[in-house]
């Protein structure tokens, strides 16, 4: 059993507080991704789990045992660093074997493990090479191999793909997912890339400035972001945000008036919002439709053709820019006027505190999850 | 149309080539122009004295009448008079000074290397006041050798020296030791003062190498649970080896030329004379410019040979960049 439990874990570097009380319950065999903007404390949180930094306050337990004061080597973890952290003077074989040599393994046992990992990662032909003779992708494989041979209960990855080019990133991502299926080990993976987070994670932990914003499955975060930050962070292109006013409140819907004069009735629980209050409406580019009698009108500022779909950047007045994603080739030109319709069941409302209004009970996922997540992930 | 292009194409190309080579020629000319002054100065201050010394080593010149000498071939080095071999190569004092120098070099550089590594490792760790410590440790290196040798001479004085006084008070010795005069302790004393003086230099060079090392591999080793001592021998040492070799070569070449330290600490004592001390004695005290020049020439040859050998050995290993 290798569940990882964080209870009010905090970290300060001197006077600078970096992690503000994180509570997390990572189950055995789960693939959890920490995602968040650069500098939000993802690496620090991972290094706290690894034992490379001391925990300032709170409790960390791995496999039911409190490990706050345990050396990294005793925690049953293996870590893959963003910079690979390979020993530059050792060949690939020694890089993988070095950490094992003290672990009371016999020569033959070490040899078997190293060759097994090399086979798994298809780096058997490289065993005699030095790291400098390898490409970035090969180095990353060696770094992963070094983690595999330790047979850890928990794998920790710190942005393992960020130094690779796009094609290699996709390929290695798939291999990491496969490694997870094969080993069933608990994996904690840090990235700033939400596509990696969406595709790899069983659960995503969205971090912002040292605090957990939301924890949930990729689709939960996508469809029901708990706040403005998560809504803006998850999903690409970013969700559109429109400043509105509450025009009316029903038992399970909120009527908002749009800046251009139109209005939308959003099926969410009002949760104490009052008529006249200002509120932020959020809607993803896929759910803004071009239709003859839309609630908003605007001028097309920019068109981006992506082949399978296209993006329209529409100026809806007062510098408010909306992104619209439509399938196929663009049928509108820059400078043209379009009328936009907001699909009401896909609208999110955020109070001025940033908190999202909960969607109506029963409407779990706005059913046919039309956002072509799969194609976006690729 | 295409024919015209082909026709004009050829001369254009050769014209470009011609211009390129004239550019290269003017670059080479400029390069010579820039290095000429330093070459001339080098020839004047290094080449000329060296050539003169080598020339004198083949003469019977005397310090009293430097202009009045004769060419005597290799007689300063080796000569046979009536079946008796004479000359520098037969002088036991010369060979003793060679041995002293080599012994001094091996022992002092070894100790300095080990101590330098230890000091560098300590200074490389994060602790409060590290910046000040780094400055303080350099003080012995910053003091001119003659000054520090004089200072140690006083501290080691058999009657008034603070070191004998301390050892006596602590009861470690029964009678004062004549550190620099006693043949048993003299060379060790020289080594100790040299270690005191040049360990900071070693430490600084090694510290620079340590700071170039990536920190992530140490974290990887920590996660893998590799013992720090093992990490030092298997990771740190191989990675700083190129810098360490350079530092050792520097120090060894310096140590082979040792003069001021020994001269100030033990004067002209035969027991501790280095090659340089021997040469100075022949040249100045005995006024034997020919013999002294022969000794100087041999020192030059020995050091040049060792330098070429270490550089050749070093190049093989340095070329094998560990990164
Ligand atoms: N050793 C350290 N000393 C002081 N501040 C640090 C240290 N490591 C990280 N920080 C700070 O902690 C914050 C989070 O860093 P990090 O966890 O690396 O962010 P990221 O989410 O990009 O991985 C940053 O503001 C960084 O400056
Ligand atoms: Mg980071």
């Amino acid at each position: 059993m290798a569940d990882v439990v964080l209870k009010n874990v905090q970290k300060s570097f001197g006077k600078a507080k970096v992690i503000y009380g994180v509570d997390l319950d990572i189950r055995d065999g789960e693939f959890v991704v920490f995602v968040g903007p650069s500098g939000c404390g993802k690496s620090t949180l991972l290094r706290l789990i690894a034992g490379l930094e001391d925990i300032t306050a709170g409790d960390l337990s791995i496999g039911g045992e409190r490990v706050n004061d345990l050396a990294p080597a005793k925690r049953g973890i293996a870590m893959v660093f963003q910079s690979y952290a390979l020993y530059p003077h050792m060949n690939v074989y020694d890089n993988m074997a070095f950490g094992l040599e003290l672990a009371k393994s016999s020569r033959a046992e070490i040899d078997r493990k190293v060759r097994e990992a090399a086979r798994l990662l298809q780096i058997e032909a490289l065993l005699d090479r030095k790291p400098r003779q390898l490409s970035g992708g090969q180095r990353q494989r060696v770094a992963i191999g070094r983690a595999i041979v330790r047979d850890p209960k928990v794998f920790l990855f710190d942005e393992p793909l960020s130094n690779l080019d796009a094609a290699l990133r996709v390929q290695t991502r798939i291999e990491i997912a496969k490694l997870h299926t094969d080993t069933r080990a608990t994996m904690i993976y840090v990235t700033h890339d939400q596509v990696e987070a969406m595709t790899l994670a069983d659960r995503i932990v969205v971090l912002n400035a040292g605090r957990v914003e939301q924890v949930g499955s990729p689709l939960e975060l996508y469809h029901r972001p708990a706040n403005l930050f998560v809504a803006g962070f998850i999903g690409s292109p970013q969700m559109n945000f429109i400043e509105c006013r509450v025009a009316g409140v029903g038992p399970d819907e909120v009527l908002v008036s749009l800046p251009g004069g139109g209005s939308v009735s959003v099926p969410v629980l009002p949760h104490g919002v009052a008529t006249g209050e200002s509120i932020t409406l959020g809607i993803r580019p896929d759910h803004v439709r071009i239709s003859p009698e839309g609630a908003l009108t605007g001028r097309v500022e920019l068109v981006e053709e992506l082949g399978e779909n296209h993006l329209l950047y529409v100026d809806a007045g007062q510098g408010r820019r909306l992104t619209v994603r439509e399938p196929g080739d663009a049928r509108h030109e820059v400078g043209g006027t379009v009328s936009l319709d907001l699909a009401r069941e896909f609208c999110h409302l955020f109070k001025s505190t940033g908190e999202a209004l909960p969607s109506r009970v029963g409407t779990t996922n706005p059913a046919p999850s039309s956002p072509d997540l799969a194609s976006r992930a690729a | 149309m295409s024919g015209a292009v082909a026709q004009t194409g050829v001369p254009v190309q050769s014209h470009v080539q011609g211009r390129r080579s004239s550019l290269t020629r003017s670059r080479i000319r400029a390069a010579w122009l820039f290095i000429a002054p330093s070459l001339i100065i080098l020839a004047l201050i290094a080449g000329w004295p060296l050539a003169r010394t080598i020339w004198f080593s083949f003469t019977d010149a005397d310090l009293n009448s430097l202009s009045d000498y004769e060419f005597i071939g290799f007689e300063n080095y080796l000569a046979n008079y009536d079946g008796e071999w004479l000359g520098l190569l037969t002088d036991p004092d010369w060979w003793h000074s060679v041995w002293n120098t080599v012994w001094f070099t091996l022992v002092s550089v070894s100790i300095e290397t080990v101590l330098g590594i230890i000091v560098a490792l300590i200074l490389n760790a994060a602790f409060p006041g590290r910046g000040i410590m780094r400055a303080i440790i350099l003080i012995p290196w910053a003091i001119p050798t003659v000054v520090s040798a004089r200072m140690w001479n006083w501290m080691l004085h058999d009657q008034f020296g603070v070191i004998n006084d301390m050892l006596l008070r602590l009861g470690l010795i029964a009678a004062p030791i004549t550190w620099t005069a006693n043949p048993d302790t003299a060379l060790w004393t020289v080594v100790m003062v040299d270690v005191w003086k040049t360990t900071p230099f070693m430490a600084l060079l090694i510290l620079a190498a340590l700071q170039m090392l990536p920190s992530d591999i140490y974290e990887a080793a920590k996660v893998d649970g590799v013992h720090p001592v093992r990490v030092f021998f298997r990771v740190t040492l191989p990675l700083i080896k190129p810098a360490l070799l350079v530092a050792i070569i520097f120090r060894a070449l310096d140590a082979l030329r040792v003069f001021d330290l020994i001269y100030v600490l033990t004067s002209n004592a035969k027991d501790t004379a280095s090659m340089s001390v021997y040469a100075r004695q022949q040249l100045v005290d005995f006024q034997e410019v020919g013999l002294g020049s022969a000794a100087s020439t041999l020192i030059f040859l020995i050091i040049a040979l060792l330098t070429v050998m270490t550089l050749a050995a070093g190049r093989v290993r340095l070329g094998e960049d560990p990164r």
Side-chain angles (χ1 to χ4, degrees), chain B residues 13 20 50 112 181 263 285:
Chain B
Q13 200 177 5
R20 202 176 280 162
L50 181 66
E112 284 154 19
Y263 188 68
D285 294 351

XYZ file of all heavy atoms in Angstrom, chain B residues 13 20 50 112 181 263 285:
62
model
N 32.352 33.616 -59.295
C 32.708 32.703 -58.218
C 34.187 32.844 -57.849
O 34.549 32.967 -56.690
C 32.417 31.276 -58.663
C 32.285 30.333 -57.483
C 31.923 28.947 -57.960
O 31.864 28.690 -59.153
N 31.680 28.062 -57.040
N 37.958 36.265 -50.697
C 37.949 35.589 -49.417
C 39.382 35.313 -48.952
O 39.745 35.538 -47.832
C 37.167 34.277 -49.538
C 36.666 33.777 -48.206
C 35.836 32.546 -48.390
N 34.475 32.865 -48.825
C 33.650 31.987 -49.375
N 34.036 30.751 -49.567
N 32.444 32.339 -49.727
N 67.465 33.079 -21.032
C 67.547 31.619 -21.098
C 68.688 31.204 -22.024
O 69.529 30.372 -21.671
C 66.214 31.058 -21.598
C 66.156 29.526 -21.693
C 66.249 28.905 -20.317
C 64.870 29.086 -22.386
N 48.895 19.227 0.134
C 48.082 20.387 -0.248
C 46.833 19.974 -1.025
O 45.769 20.568 -0.869
C 48.915 21.350 -1.109
C 49.907 22.149 -0.289
C 51.104 22.587 -1.116
O 51.007 22.589 -2.346
O 52.139 22.915 -0.501
N 67.052 23.903 11.789
C 68.472 23.552 11.713
C 68.682 22.044 11.776
O 69.624 21.512 11.198
C 69.243 24.237 12.840
N 65.319 29.136 1.215
C 66.459 30.024 1.439
C 66.262 30.835 2.709
O 67.185 30.999 3.494
C 66.626 30.950 0.230
C 67.875 31.766 0.276
C 69.124 31.151 0.138
C 67.819 33.144 0.464
C 70.278 31.894 0.183
C 68.976 33.892 0.521
C 70.213 33.274 0.373
O 71.361 34.017 0.428
N 77.525 32.679 -4.499
C 78.479 32.480 -3.404
C 79.834 32.024 -3.928
O 80.871 32.497 -3.492
C 77.946 31.453 -2.408
C 76.703 31.968 -1.697
O 76.395 33.168 -1.862
O 76.037 31.177 -0.998
